[in-house]
Amino acid sequence: MEWNANGLLPLEWYKKMRRDSPVVQSNDGQVWNVYGYDDVKTVFTNHDIFSSSAFPDSEDPLEHSILRQDPPKHRQLRRLVTQAFTPRVIESLAPKIQSITTSLLDEAEKKGRMDAIADFASPLPIVVIAEMLGVSLDHREQFKAWSDALVGDSGEDFYQCQREMSEYFSEIAEDRRRHPQDDLVTKLVEARIDNEHLTDLEIIGFCILLLVAGNETTTNLISSAMLGIDTLPDVRAQLLADRSLIPGALEEVFRYFSPVQVMFRRVKQDTVLGGQEMKVGQFVHIWMASANHDEKVFERPEEFNIHRNPNPHLGLGSGIHYCLGSQLARLESKIAIETLLARFPEYRRDRSAELARMDSMMMFALKELPILLT
């Protein structure tokens, strides 16, 4: 059914840009914006021309993470953590994810209501990734605050939280060098590439990326799914009647809402895209959120259709940077929605609270989502 997600998504704007200016330069001439599916996928997959590294000489930890690396370094770094995200490892986490989900809903049931984000969609992935990394859950609220700052629109907050996270993970990495444990931080500390250990910046960048990526995308996927189910009675009825439809519904959430709205690349070689000449050093914003509503690829894209098949959305990226934790995000969200519907099939949004997006160009994230359970 056609739906505008309560007016929270600029779908008409994306449609206009795809039609009139699919590849367009910003007013200052420094950034290209790309809106069409094919062009977005081209930028994603052609790492010889479009680099993931924004500022190669930067000392910011994120610049040294796999998110901002090109081959061959990207391939080497990704290989280090791939073993922590194999299908077998992810599936083995199901009982733990179920236990956390049940516990969070137990607490919500006592109150008869919850903020779907602060009380459910956010804590679940944070607890899972924190345990994988081997960091204390005592800092759970701080992890969320750091994650929000990293994807928010405030440059000052972005750099401040990187400094704070650098101090935090530096201490943990140093502790693991002296006292190894069975966790991801220890594996990073002990890892070698070409017989050399990772640098402190690479280790910290890994930890920051895994913590944030393991939190924000899944949080927004779960909360967006809850919003969609509440708003669209037919969707709720179908999912209650047949739980096997939930994975497909989540793929449609990835497409329709696009938890990650936009990514960037830097032009490494002069090139032409969509008839526009791009020069070395210029930046490119690739609007996955627009690409996922491209009429040339998706039939009736403004319709939220949980039966959409195929559904080649770009909600998890494409090419070598396809989301490392995609299967973990899917499993966490599947268990969260299945358990929520089993226990509170008639949950409803508290409509006395106004829906508002978090101040983030990069993410589709709600500030809060009050839910009534009884």
Side-chain angles (χ1 to χ4, degrees), residues 22 45 55 69 97 104 138-139 161 195 207 214 237 240 263 265 267 314 319 328 340-341 358:
T45 54
F55 306 103
Q69 297 296 319
I97 296 169
L104 292 171
D138 293 343
H139 302 95
C161 80
N195 209 33
C207 293
L240 288 175
M263 297 291 284
R265 293 292 187 266
V267 181
L314 301 176
L328 179 57
L340 175 72
L341 288 176
M358 195 176 81

Side-chain angles (χ1 to χ4, degrees), residues 41-54:
K41 192 160 186 179
T42 294
V43 178
F44 257 132
T45 54
N46 195 337
H47 48 77
D48 290 331
I49 293 177
F50 300 101
S51 172
S52 298
S53 175

Side-chain angles (χ1 to χ4, degrees), residues 88 119 134 153 176 197 209-210 298 361:
R88 178 179 295 179
D119 300 328
D153 291 338
R176 295 304 189 274
H197 286 294
L209 178 64
L210 291 171
F298 301 98
M361 179 181 82

Side-chain angles (χ1 to χ4, degrees), residues 255-325:
R255 183 198 72 84
Y256 189 93
F257 287 95
S258 302
V260 180
Q261 298 271 290
V262 61
M263 297 291 284
F264 77 87
R265 293 292 187 266
R266 179 174 52 85
V267 181
K268 287 167 63 175
Q269 301 177 30
D270 290 353
T271 190
V272 175
L273 184 72
Q276 303 293 329
E277 295 184 4
M278 296 179 171
K279 301 296 184 182
V280 170
Q282 292 178 327
F283 287 94
V284 183
H285 283 159
I286 38 180
W287 289 92
M288 302 133 76
S290 173
N292 283 337
H293 285 265
D294 194 329
E295 304 84 350
K296 296 176 182 176
V297 178
F298 301 98
E299 186 178 356
R300 297 191 295 276
E302 266 54 281
E303 179 179 315
F304 187 85
N305 177 10
I306 66 174
H307 303 283
R308 191 178 295 277
N309 187 24
N311 189 352
H313 65 78
L314 301 176
L316 291 158
S318 185
I320 64 170
H321 284 277
Y322 186 80
C323 179
L324 181 68

Side-chain angles (χ1 to χ4, degrees), residues 7 17 34-35 39 45 77 79 106 131 144 148 155 172 187 191 200 247 250-252 289-290 294 319 333 353:
M17 297 310 291
V34 180
Y35 294 98
D39 290 335
T45 54
L77 291 174
R79 192 182 302 135
D106 285 345
E131 292 194 0
K144 175 59 176 169
D148 288 347
I172 293 175
K187 288 182 173 65
D200 284 349
L250 290 170
E251 295 306 308
E252 183 67 345
S290 173
D294 194 329
S333 302

Side-chain angles (χ1 to χ4, degrees), residues 162-355:
Q162 281 201 77
R163 287 191 290 271
E164 293 175 1
M165 294 178 86
S166 293
E167 293 177 11
Y168 176 78
F169 282 115
S170 289
E171 292 179 7
I172 293 175
E174 187 56 38
D175 176 76
R176 295 304 189 274
R177 289 187 181 99
R178 296 193 303 267
H179 309 291
Q181 298 181 23
D182 184 20
D183 58 33
L184 265 176
V185 177
T186 299
K187 288 182 173 65
L188 293 174
V189 166
E190 295 178 344
R192 288 174 177 266
I193 294 179
D194 295 335
N195 209 33
E196 290 187 5
H197 286 294
L198 298 182
T199 67
D200 284 349
L201 277 176
E202 288 170 340
I203 292 170
I204 294 166
F206 250 129
C207 293
I208 292 176
L209 178 64
L210 291 171
L211 185 64
V212 174
N215 165 21
E216 286 292 335
T217 301
T218 308
T219 294
N220 300 331
L221 181 65
I222 293 171
S223 56
S224 295
M226 292 176 67
L227 175 63
I229 292 167
D230 173 78
T231 309
L232 303 169
D234 286 357
V235 170
R236 185 196 298 262
Q238 290 180 64
L239 296 182
L240 288 175
D242 185 356
R243 304 300 163 81
S244 71
L245 297 176
I246 289 176
L250 290 170
E251 295 306 308
E252 183 67 345
V253 174
F254 268 124
R255 183 198 72 84
Y256 189 93
F257 287 95
S258 302
V260 180
Q261 298 271 290
V262 61
M263 297 291 284
F264 77 87
R265 293 292 187 266
R266 179 174 52 85
V267 181
K268 287 167 63 175
Q269 301 177 30
D270 290 353
T271 190
V272 175
L273 184 72
Q276 303 293 329
E277 295 184 4
M278 296 179 171
K279 301 296 184 182
V280 170
Q282 292 178 327
F283 287 94
V284 183
H285 283 159
I286 38 180
W287 289 92
M288 302 133 76
S290 173
N292 283 337
H293 285 265
D294 194 329
E295 304 84 350
K296 296 176 182 176
V297 178
F298 301 98
E299 186 178 356
R300 297 191 295 276
E302 266 54 281
E303 179 179 315
F304 187 85
N305 177 10
I306 66 174
H307 303 283
R308 191 178 295 277
N309 187 24
N311 189 352
H313 65 78
L314 301 176
L316 291 158
S318 185
I320 64 170
H321 284 277
Y322 186 80
C323 179
L324 181 68
S326 59
Q327 293 308 313
L328 179 57
R330 287 180 168 116
L331 180 62
E332 289 172 334
S333 302
K334 174 176 173 286
I335 290 174
I337 296 303
E338 280 180 349
T339 310
L340 175 72
L341 288 176
R343 291 185 58 172
F344 308 107
E346 301 303 323
Y347 81 85
R348 62 198 184 282
R349 179 168 68 85
D350 181 354
R351 284 169 168 72
S352 67
E354 184 177 351
L355 289 173

Side-chain angles (χ1 to χ4, degrees), residues 11-137:
L11 300 185
E12 285 302 316
W13 167 254
Y14 291 148
K15 186 175 183 178
K16 178 180 184 300
M17 297 310 291
R18 287 194 302 273
R19 182 185 68 234
D20 299 338
S21 308
V23 179
V24 62
Q25 200 167 21
S26 60
N27 292 332
D28 62 11
Q30 293 303 306
V31 178
W32 291 95
N33 288 283
V34 180
Y35 294 98
Y37 184 96
D38 288 343
D39 290 335
V40 165
K41 192 160 186 179
T42 294
V43 178
F44 257 132
T45 54
N46 195 337
H47 48 77
D48 290 331
I49 293 177
F50 300 101
S51 172
S52 298
S53 175
F55 306 103
D57 299 324
S58 169
E59 292 299 297
D60 290 334
L62 274 180
E63 282 296 323
H64 295 262
S65 73
I66 54 176
L67 182 69
R68 301 282 176 83
Q69 297 296 319
D70 299 325
K73 188 71 170 183
H74 171 271
R75 183 166 52 250
Q76 295 169 329
L77 291 174
R78 188 170 177 119
R79 192 182 302 135
L80 286 179
V81 291
T82 297
Q83 60 187 0
F85 292 91
T86 63
R88 178 179 295 179
V89 170
I90 297 306
E91 197 56 43
S92 74
L93 293 172
K96 168 64 73 174
I97 296 169
Q98 183 64 67
S99 175
I100 298 167
T101 301
T102 299
S103 177
L104 292 171
L105 290 178
D106 285 345
E107 288 301 309
E109 187 173 28
K110 294 174 184 176
K111 296 180 290 186
R113 61 180 299 138
M114 67 175 171
D115 176 358
I117 296 165
D119 300 328
F120 187 51
S122 174
L124 173 58
I126 285 181
V127 170
V128 173
I129 198 65
E131 292 194 0
M132 291 177 72
L133 282 166
V135 299
S136 171
L137 288 173

